[in-house]
Amino acid sequence: MARIKDVAKEAGVAPSTVSLVLNKKGYVSEETRLKVEAAVEKLNYIPSEMARNLSLQRTNIIGVIVPSISHPFFSELAEALETELYSLGYKMMLCCTKYKENSERKFIEMLKRQTMDGIIMGAHSLDVSIYEGLKEPVIAFDRYLNDNIPIVHCDHCIGGRLAAEAFLQHDCHHVIGIEGYQGVHTPANDYHRVFHETMRQHGVTTDILEMPWNAFTYEDFLATAEKLFKEYRDIDGIFGSDMAIASCMRVAAQRGYRIPRDIKMVAYDGTGMTQTGIQPITAVRQPIEKLAAIAAQKVVSKVKGTKDNLPWVLQPRLLKGETC
Amino acid sequence: MARIKDVAKEAGVAPSTVSLVLNKKGYVSEETRLKVEAAVEKLNYIPSEMARNLSLQRTNIIGVIVPSISHPFFSELAEALETELYSLGYKMMLCCTKYKENSERKFIEMLKRQTMDGIIMGAHSLDVSIYEGLKEPVIAFDRYLNDNIPIVHCDHCIGGRLAAEAFLQHDCHHVIGIEGYQGVHTPANDYHRVFHETMRQHGVTTDILEMPWNAFTYEDFLATAEKLFKEYRDIDGIFGSDMAIASCMRVAAQRGYRIPRDIKMVAYDGTGMTQTGIQPITAVRQPIEKLAAIAAQKVVSKVKGTKDNLPWVLQPRLLKGETC
DNA sequence: TTGAAAGCGCTAACAG
DNA sequence: CTGTTAGCGCTTTCAA
């Protein structure tokens, strides 16, 4: 493996000159530039990123923490983050916290070890004390960590209202909201709050079914759906995340309910999965790509110490499907 | 930010001794160990990963190349890879090639630059010449790259047969197979080949609908489904990937077909999405988690230069759903 | 315009 | 058992 000094020797110049040529910095005479380029070519020289990193004190890697990545919301998020980070010249290192005992703590540790330049944090952690006093660049994605860590998120109050309005057009009487574990401190809790408030203002009975913490597999959602139909009999509406609704559709069908005739359903998130299958799902869509692009740009701004004028909050919208 | 020499000074020892203590190598007297640990504590010292990387000539990062990550197959794969790599002490750096003009080439370049220790490659690249003569550790996931790069994959011949057998139990007459772009050189092409062979041996007419290259969004699949129903009228079976089938279910329903009464459907991959929705989908399931675990262990073996006795090929199985 | 030299922060061989 | 020394491979002053 050729090193910079091999190239220097081959070209008959000093390593520093090779460095200048490679990084197009300073003034180098045409003549030596050509000599260096020829040497690079001849030796098939490729600079070591590790050495540059140490010298420049950065890695151009951004860490992304999510609970799961097989879950459609996070898989769309991760894809959008990777795409945006790539276009900003960064690579994405992924950490899924689900099932991994304090992998998040280790990841933060890696941030301090300068394994990455910054982090976008979107996991459902209960203990966020590790973020206290953290000097490194962190952006939260739809998650409250502490007063110093800004949050990119969707306006969930509007989201909750859009969902409620969808149900209210079809006079339901009893609607169940499937919620994530409420111990997680997130702006997303707003959409349920506003949803129930709005529904009750219009005289609709609502109930809440809370899911266990960090439950993201389809088995988790199917189990919750089973539980819902066991506990509640006279219902005519269900509101929950994409996966929750897709699971309820299965259980509802098994029990002979017709959708939307017998039960209306509205999903929150509006990932691609709501658009396939026998019935496309009526859903409140979070602008995942845009949220991701903003989160990526914000974290890079923080790493570089620059400013941007991007908004922190974006609007969701309703996708009309066939379930409500 | 404290450095190793600060710790050394604080503890009144040499940097190398601090290093020994931190890495639990060699023999260090209890006394100095305690002194060092106290100094580490006091200065809140955290070693720099970049410096260790340069010194040890490794990064403990494995790159993973996939076409997309919002696609359920790859999102499940990525999650399983991350989990396994994590337990092996490695981090996963992700590269989605879809929509990114030669991002793959850049990624391979990064491998050569020692940004990562090895790569698991699962993208649908048409030009695999960049892998020619590559010295760095690479494992292919369900993809032919070249004779020197071993492949982890599922036994797709069995997969194709399982799918055919599912249809043959219900005497279909005309079944369409939706295939990925056939220019991609992958073991997965086998499942269509065997599927069609088996069906035709039993007197069933089959046709092939080929998708465009690198088409992975639900819009792509819906478009293909529309095309299918426009081009073929008298069909009673469809075989394709999870996303393809889910999309066909939607279009079939729109056109008034009942599943499985009018059309039987079998999906290939069997990701979680086949288990939710109004009708769970009959599917050939690839053992994604196990394939991922093997790929991860294989690439790490290659990085470390060790051997393992893990198999390269795993068996798929049929998940009975309600669509065939 | 170029080269020498110091430095990024850690590890490891080798004395002692 | 511990300190000295020499790297790992690149960047960046600072002279010349």
Side-chain angles (χ1 to χ4, degrees), chain A residues 89-102:
Chain A
Y90 285 77
K91 303 140 240 166
M92 179 176 81
M93 188 178 272
L94 207 59
C95 173
C96 306
T97 59
K98 192 186 63 176
Y99 300 137
K100 297 205 208 75
E101 208 55 60
N102 82 344

Side-chain angles (χ1 to χ4, degrees), chain A residues 31-181:
Chain A
E31 191 190 336
T32 51
R33 194 171 57 71
L34 289 175
K35 277 194 299 184
V36 169
E37 282 167 356
V40 165
E41 189 74 20
K42 179 172 173 194
L43 299 180
N44 216 310
Y45 170 67
I46 296 174
S48 158
E49 193 74 27
M50 297 192 289
R52 306 193 73 218
N53 286 349
L54 178 59
S55 194
L56 297 171
Q57 293 292 99
R58 54 98 180 117
T59 61
N60 282 347
I61 296 174
I62 297 294
V64 170
I65 307 180
V66 286
S68 157
I69 189 164
S70 60
H71 185 287
F73 179 81
F74 293 107
S75 72
E76 290 192 7
L77 176 67
E79 174 158 310
L81 285 173
E82 195 269 343
T83 302
E84 184 68 21
L85 287 171
Y86 176 84
S87 77
L88 295 169
Y90 285 77
K91 303 140 240 166
M92 179 176 81
M93 188 178 272
L94 207 59
C95 173
C96 306
T97 59
K98 192 186 63 176
Y99 300 137
K100 297 205 208 75
E101 208 55 60
N102 82 344
S103 57
E104 182 179 0
R105 186 180 300 270
K106 284 200 191 172
F107 213 64
I108 300 301
E109 202 67 18
M110 280 164 48
L111 177 64
K112 293 185 187 162
R113 282 170 183 268
Q114 310 176 64
T115 307
M116 3 189 209
D117 295 344
I119 274 185
I120 296 170
M121 155 66 186
H124 289 197
S125 316
L126 301 179
D127 175 14
V128 295
S129 63
I130 42 176
Y131 294 92
E132 214 62 60
L134 200 61
K135 293 276 176 280
E136 288 75 10
V138 177
I139 295 285
F141 187 90
D142 208 21
R143 212 65 56 204
Y144 296 113
L145 297 177
N146 65 50
D147 293 345
N148 299 315
I149 302 181
I151 314 173
V152 173
H153 64 105
C154 175
D155 188 331
H156 294 299
C157 293
I158 292 181
R161 187 142 41 77
L162 286 173
E165 285 166 358
F167 281 106
L168 290 172
Q169 291 183 351
H170 300 278
D171 71 355
C172 295
H173 300 96
H174 190 181
V175 179
I176 311 296
I178 300 177
E179 305 193 345
Y181 178 67

Side-chain angles (χ1 to χ4, degrees), chain B residues 31-86:
Chain B
E31 191 190 338
T32 52
R33 194 171 56 73
L34 289 174
K35 277 196 299 186
V36 169
E37 281 167 357
V40 165
E41 189 74 20
K42 178 173 175 195
L43 299 180
N44 216 311
Y45 169 67
I46 295 173
S48 158
E49 193 73 27
M50 297 191 289
R52 307 192 73 218
N53 287 350
L54 178 59
S55 194
L56 296 171
Q57 292 293 99
R58 54 98 178 115
T59 61
N60 282 346
I61 296 174
I62 297 294
V64 170
I65 307 180
V66 288
S68 156
I69 188 163
S70 60
H71 185 286
F73 179 81
F74 293 107
S75 71
E76 290 192 8
L77 176 67
E79 175 160 308
L81 284 173
E82 196 269 343
T83 301
E84 184 68 20
L85 287 171
Y86 176 84

Side-chain angles (χ1 to χ4, degrees), chain A residues 237-248:
Chain A
I238 304 178
F239 174 47
S241 69
D242 291 356
M243 290 280 279
I245 294 304
S247 299
C248 285

